[in-house]
């Protein structure tokens, strides 16, 4: 037996017992006549003591040579500590060591294995196994385990069956590029790694499994915007013989269960918001509703005066910043600079101060009198002491800019509280989305999403207006899940693919298997997938998913620890019958 106890276990009641412990040397303090060593494992820290009076000389020598992160095993007696440490769970006792075995030595670690380490992100990722020894990282991984177990238990109890689907497949379009894998046995052919198990879970419904779930890796080769990973984990779910209401209720139940189980927070019914309203009121399809600052559209009350900037704008929109009148001129100038940064892209910002005496002072007083400004306050819901910020221009752009400003201000004002949870459903998404660059429509969710009943006919005349049976679950300004009711007949699927620009031949080549399956009695079905990494991070009160992934990749998609991706050696290329001929970009 390597150990009788863990390093987090021993208490005063164990005094007098002989125990064997194992773990890593956290630190040692060598006073010459006495050596203290903190021994660490996953469960905690126990203090070891070697002292001249009671410890044989050669063991004293050995003790003084124990370096940081040495792996040791000790046997000794649990004794009462002279100076107790109430901050440590094992702080009442220490171990008077009788035998010490060095199980493995360690080089000096490249950063300190402490809660607040001196190691930068790159270094920690290169030596991630050392990073994982640190409490915050280990705790995050255990937290993730708790969430995923709670998910498994809940869904299993509700009758969902956990089924694994293959990784070596053919493209499942979710709007990203595929990662591809060459096939040795089928020369010149490639598998695609799944962007999601979408088509397989639909086939499981055709197979009659009725309720499926899987906690599964998905692979998407896209430019890694902040806090994305090329491989990430979904809680992927599908149900048959359901309508949208059933799905929303089931997964609202799961989310509520998690918030209660993991965070001890009870949340009532989740609000539901139409996609169009979310865009109008928050400029965003994943609004953070922990705080207000809803958009007020000011076209009616701000246009047709002499202010050309507003008159020529498609949308004039304002938000009331609570208590914002306290901002100094300099601070407001800062905000204006902030919205003009290329990442936000506004041309400028108009503002109106709401003074305590009920008067207003705007940056466009030349064009607007007090009555006009009072109307702005009314539309944006501004009160005395607030600041109204106004942007104008082309609708979609202004909404995105204002949404960025709203989040920025909320962050500055401390309104994005990590321990507050505000979930909501955003429903009735458009079926198609116009790609401004190519002028083509693509599926806003994915090509298997069904249009709202009776709207299929509108696809030709007004493709942009067709609404889908699609929904997202939003938590604290993050999309944590999304899904849809699916198309389950061949004709509709064919029409959809045609509208997405697939020729009949292409549709057949890529999705023939699904269309064939639809000819054998496919039940009505639908589902959704949660992003597990993000969900765990939010429940854990943090923003970066990397902190909750054991071995994450960096922003260039590299694993700096194993140094991947890497080039293949010639032998492997020959086996695959591949020749590398890199093209100039
Ligand atoms: N496959 C979808 C996704 O990855 C989720 C779903 O529609 O169920 O976003």
């Amino acid at each position: 037996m390597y150990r009788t106890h863990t390093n987090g276990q021993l208490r005063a009641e164990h005094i007098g017992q002989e125990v064997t412990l194992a773990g890593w040397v956290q630190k040692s303090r060598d006073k010459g006549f006495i050596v203290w060593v903190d021994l660490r494992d996953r469960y905690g820290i126990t203090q070891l003591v070697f002292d001249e009076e009671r410890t044989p000389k050669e063991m004293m020598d050995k003790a003084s040579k124990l370096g940081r992160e040495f792996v040791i095993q000790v046997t000794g007696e649990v004794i009462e500590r002279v100076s107790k440490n109430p901050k440590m769970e094992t702080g009442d006792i220490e171990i008077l060591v009788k035998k010490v075995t060095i199980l493995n030595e360690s080089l000096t670690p490249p950063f300190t294995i402490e809660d607040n380490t001196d190691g930068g992100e790159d270094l920690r990722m290169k030596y991630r196994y050392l990073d994982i020894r640190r409490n915050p990282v280990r705790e995050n991984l255990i937290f993730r385990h708790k969430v995923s177990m709670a998910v498994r238990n809940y869904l299993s109890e509700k009758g969902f069956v956990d089924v694994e689907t293959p990784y070596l497949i053919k493209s499942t379009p979710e709007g990203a590029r595929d990662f591809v894998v060459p096939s040795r046995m089928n020369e010149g052919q490639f598998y695609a790694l799944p962007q999601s198990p979408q088509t397989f879970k639909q086939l499981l419904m055709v197979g009659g499994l009725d309720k499926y779930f899987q906690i599964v890796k998905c692979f998407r080769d896209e430019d890694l915007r902040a806090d994305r990973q090329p491989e990430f984990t979904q809680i992927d779910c599908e149900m048959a013989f359901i309508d949208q209401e059933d799905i929303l209720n089931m997964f609202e139940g799961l989310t509520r269960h998690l918030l209660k189980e993991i965070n001890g927070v009870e949340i009532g019914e989740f609000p539901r918001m139409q996609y169009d309203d979310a865009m109008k009121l928050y400029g965003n399809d994943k609004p953070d509703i922990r705080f207000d600052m809803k958009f007020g559209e000011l076209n009616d009350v701000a246009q047709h005066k002499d202010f050309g900037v507003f008159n020529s704008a498609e949308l004039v929109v304002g938000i009331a910043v609570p208590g914002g009148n306290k901002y100094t001129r300099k601070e407001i100038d800062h905000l204006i600079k902030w919205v003009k940064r290329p990442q936000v892209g506004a041309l400028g910002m108009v503002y109106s101060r709401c003074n305590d005496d009920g008067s207003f002072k705007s940056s466009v007083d030349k064009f607007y009198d007090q009555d006009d400004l009072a109307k702005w306050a009314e539309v944006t819901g501004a009160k005395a002491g607030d600041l109204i910020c106004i942007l104008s221009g082309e609708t979609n752009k202004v909404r995105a800019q204002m949404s960025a400003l709203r989040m920025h201000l909320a962050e500055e004002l401390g309104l994005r509280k990590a321990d507050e949870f505000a979930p909501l459903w955003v429903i009735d998404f458009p079926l198609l989305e116009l790609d401004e660059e190519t002028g083509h429509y693509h599926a806003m969710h994915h090509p298997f999403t069904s249009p709202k009943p009776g709207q299929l006919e509108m696809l030709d005349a007004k493709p942009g207006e067709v609404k889908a049976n699609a929904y997202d679950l939003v938590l604290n300004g993050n999309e944590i899940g999304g899904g849809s009711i699916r198309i389950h007949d061949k004709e509709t699927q064919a029409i959809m693919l045609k509208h997405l620009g697939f020729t009949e031949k292409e549709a057949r080549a890529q999705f023939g298997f699904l269309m064939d399956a639809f000819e054998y009695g496919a039940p009505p079905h639908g589902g959704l997938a949660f992003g597990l990494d993000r969900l765990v991070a939010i429940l854990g009160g943090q923003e970066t998913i990397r902190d909750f992934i054991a071995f994450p990749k960096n922003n260039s998609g590299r694993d700096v620890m194993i140094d991947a991706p890497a080039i293949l050696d010639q032998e492997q290329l020959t086996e695959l019958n591949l020749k590398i001929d890199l093209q100039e970009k």
Side-chain angles (χ1 to χ4, degrees), residues 291-306:
F291 52 93
D292 211 16
M293 287 199 267
K294 287 197 200 73
F295 292 12
E297 298 195 345
L298 297 169
N299 292 40
D300 288 349
V301 293
Q303 289 183 324
H304 314 301
K305 300 280 167 169
D306 288 334

Side-chain angles (χ1 to χ4, degrees), residues 540-555:
Q542 290 175 38
E543 296 255 319
T544 46
I545 64 173
R546 238 187 312 218
D547 293 341
F548 290 87
I549 297 174
F551 299 105
K553 299 203 167 33
N554 73 9
N555 277 346

Side-chain angles (χ1 to χ4, degrees), residues 174 195-196 198 201 220 234 236-238 445-446 482-484 486 527-529:
E174 295 274 5
Q195 291 184 36
S196 83
Q198 184 60 38
K201 65 175 172 175
R220 296 185 191 176
Q234 284 191 345
D236 193 42
C237 308
E238 197 76 1
H445 189 48
H446 51 55
S484 60
R486 325 298 183 189
L528 95 180

Side-chain angles (χ1 to χ4, degrees), residues 7-8 21-30 35-41 44-50 63 66-72 74 81 83 85 88 90-91 93-95 97 113-114 135:
N7 289 314
L21 302 177
W24 287 266
V25 173
Q26 172 77 26
K27 63 171 186 235
S28 79
R29 277 162 297 148
D30 187 351
V35 180
W36 282 288
V37 171
D38 278 356
L39 188 64
R40 182 196 73 237
D41 62 14
I45 285 182
T46 302
Q47 179 167 292
L48 312 178
V49 60
F50 306 76
L66 294 175
R68 266 164 60 204
E69 300 309 310
F70 275 38
V71 188
I72 61 171
V74 295
R81 266 211 225 183
S83 51
N85 182 349
M88 276 176 78
T90 59
I93 57 97
E94 59 192 353
I95 310 298
V97 179
I113 313 291
E114 305 278 352
N135 293 324

Side-chain angles (χ1 to χ4, degrees), residues 361-378:
K361 176 87 192 82
S362 83
S363 56
V364 283
D365 277 352
K366 213 159 80 181
F367 306 103
Y368 298 95
D369 61 24
Q370 291 290 307
D371 284 346
D372 295 325
L373 299 179
K375 284 185 196 138
W376 295 10
E378 198 184 311

